[in-house]
Amino acid sequence: MIKENDQKIAERIKDSNSILIISHVRPDADAAGSVLGLGLALENAGKKVQMVLEDGAEKFIYLPGSERITQKPAGEVDMIIVVDCSDPDRVGGALAEYGGPSLVVDHHKTNLNFGEYNVVESDQVATAAILFDHMPTWGLSFDADVASCLLSGIVGDTIGFRTPNVNSDVMRKAGALMDLGADLAHIYREELVMKSFKAIRYWGAGLNRMEHDDGLVWTSLRLADRKEIGYPGNDDADLVNVLSSVKEAKIALIFVEQPHNMVKVSWRTRPGMDVSGIAFEFGGGGHAAAAGADIEGTLEDVMEDVIIETRKLLDKIRK
Ligand code: AMP
Ligand code: MN
Ligand code: MN
């Protein structure tokens, strides 16, 4: 039976001609895969669709339709959908001129439910997995391209089915998406295995500065590293996954210096611990095992504050 909320969303979609879909800055595979998967399906249903990621989709050229992604919305729209984003600020500046979203689809525990309609399921591994469940109830269907984008979101957020929230239901969804034509080996390789030469050199800069103190492992990536190496973008090139594979780390932390006196912090922890609260206190959000925040201040100051607070959290958990 289709739930009332889904029925209303289906009607809202049916009544809209021009739809804007947007996700978070520094997009990951779930952000890009969810924007594209939903966007391509809406186009197949005859809608005019804008798919927007403020930082672009350069990293996702292997995804069908990625060339359609723009960095800014344009013109009039009659429905805004925000995916994989727990608060309105994280989409960047785009929504300021456009008002609040009609629909929010997300799996972050810290979601503020800022849509007219909200489909927020924090037990799901990825926003793409939520879309897989709900899209048919919204009158949308899957083809091979849509399936590839959604599988990419699931592979990304589970780091290749490695996170503890992966269960047989997730594997069945992945199987269904493969049956629809998604190429798992290709997605896995493009998303998780292959890295550019510059990305690995950038890792080197971070790994050289890696520190360990009684269950905490951390490092920083600096603007000067990116300049020297020529690494494009302001992200961590997924170095955080390497840090969290350090056996001694109960909590891994990475600090990525940003322009304009900002620092992007990522926390990763082990099953049974929760870092979403500390990220939220620093103005960010996320999940129990993986969370992040954008914090104002110099790299040195932010590192000091965050390490002190994270140390306290770890000591509290151990008591
Ligand atoms: P990251 O550390 O950027 O890989 O993100 C880990 C998780 O925390 C992801 O689910 C992000 O969506 C979320 N997250 C990261 N940064 C922020 C932020 N500034 N505000 C809210 N959520 C965030
Ligand atoms: Mn995301
Ligand atoms: Mn996600």
Side-chain angles (χ1 to χ4, degrees):
M1 214 189 66
I2 298 179
K3 290 196 190 124
E4 199 190 331
N5 203 39
D6 282 318
Q7 235 157 22
K8 287 186 180 155
I9 293 166
E11 277 161 32
R12 185 73 175 79
I13 290 174
K14 204 164 144 230
D15 293 342
S16 305
N17 289 316
S18 176
I19 300 178
L20 164 65
I21 312 173
I22 188 163
S23 188
H24 58 80
V25 292
R26 286 188 304 274
D28 51 26
D30 193 26
S34 296
V35 166
L36 281 166
L38 180 58
L40 296 178
L42 284 165
E43 277 189 347
N44 291 343
K47 306 294 175 187
K48 185 169 168 266
V49 183
Q50 291 188 58
M51 303 175 229
V52 175
L53 292 170
E54 193 181 88
D55 292 326
E58 241 171 272
K59 279 199 309 196
F60 303 103
I61 40 169
Y62 61 93
L63 286 180
S66 67
E67 72 287 349
R68 292 281 325 281
I69 288 182
T70 58
Q71 290 180 252
K72 248 179 121 109
E76 300 252 316
V77 295
D78 38 42
M79 180 173 191
I80 298 171
I81 306 177
V82 177
V83 293
D84 197 44
C85 209
S86 55
D87 68 72
D89 294 342
R90 250 197 122 212
V91 302
L95 285 189
E97 292 164 38
Y98 278 80
S102 323
L103 171 62
V104 170
V105 187
D106 188 31
H107 66 130
H108 290 96
K109 208 175 155 180
T110 49
N111 192 288
L112 301 177
N113 291 295
F114 56 101
E116 194 183 324
Y117 298 105
N118 298 283
V119 179
V120 176
E121 299 177 1
S122 59
D123 55 338
Q124 294 256 23
V125 293
T127 299
I130 304 176
L131 288 171
F132 176 79
D133 287 345
H134 289 263
M135 278 167 57
T137 70
W138 303 339
L140 301 174
S141 52
F142 307 113
D143 63 12
D145 286 351
V146 172
S148 299
C149 295
L150 296 184
L151 184 58
S152 177
I154 294 174
V155 168
D157 269 15
T158 61
I159 328 170
F161 306 106
R162 279 200 277 147
T163 51
N165 54 1
V166 172
N167 55 25
S168 58
D169 182 46
V170 175
M171 301 313 290
R172 271 188 290 276
K173 276 179 201 170
L177 291 166
M178 289 171 78
D179 287 341
L180 285 158
D183 182 345
L184 176 63
H186 175 70
I187 290 167
Y188 204 107
R189 189 178 143 84
E190 290 295 329
E191 204 163 296
L192 297 172
V193 182
M194 301 309 287
K195 302 275 168 211
S196 69
F197 180 77
K198 285 175 178 171
I200 304 279
R201 281 205 60 213
Y202 182 47
W203 279 11
L207 289 173
N208 262 330
R209 284 194 288 268
M210 184 171 66
E211 292 189 62
H212 169 228
D213 177 41
D214 191 23
L216 270 193
V217 168
W218 70 91
T219 196
S220 59
L221 289 164
R222 295 158 192 237
L223 285 167
D225 298 331
R226 301 203 278 285
K227 200 167 162 205
E228 191 201 322
I229 293 160
Y231 178 78
N234 283 319
D235 55 32
D236 70 335
D238 298 328
L239 178 63
V240 71
N241 294 339
V242 181
L243 246 65
S244 62
S245 69
V246 173
K247 264 192 182 170
E248 291 86 346
K250 299 270 184 292
I251 298 179
L253 271 168
I254 195 156
F255 300 87
V256 187
E257 189 182 11
Q258 303 292 317
H260 314 301
N261 201 39
M262 296 292 292
V263 179
K264 168 67 205 296
V265 184
S266 290
W267 286 262
R268 296 293 185 271
T269 189
R270 304 283 176 227
M273 294 192 239
D274 187 341
V275 284
S276 65
I278 190 168
F280 192 73
E281 278 165 31
F282 277 105
H287 313 281
D294 292 88
I295 304 173
E296 194 173 351
T298 65
L299 183 63
E300 285 66 30
D301 288 350
V302 171
M303 283 180 74
E304 195 183 327
D305 284 358
V306 169
I307 289 169
I308 289 173
E309 291 308 314
T310 307
R311 174 94 266 155
K312 284 188 201 159
L313 174 72
L314 189 54
D315 291 345
K316 208 158 72 190
I317 294 168
R318 278 173 166 164
K319 271 193 196 142

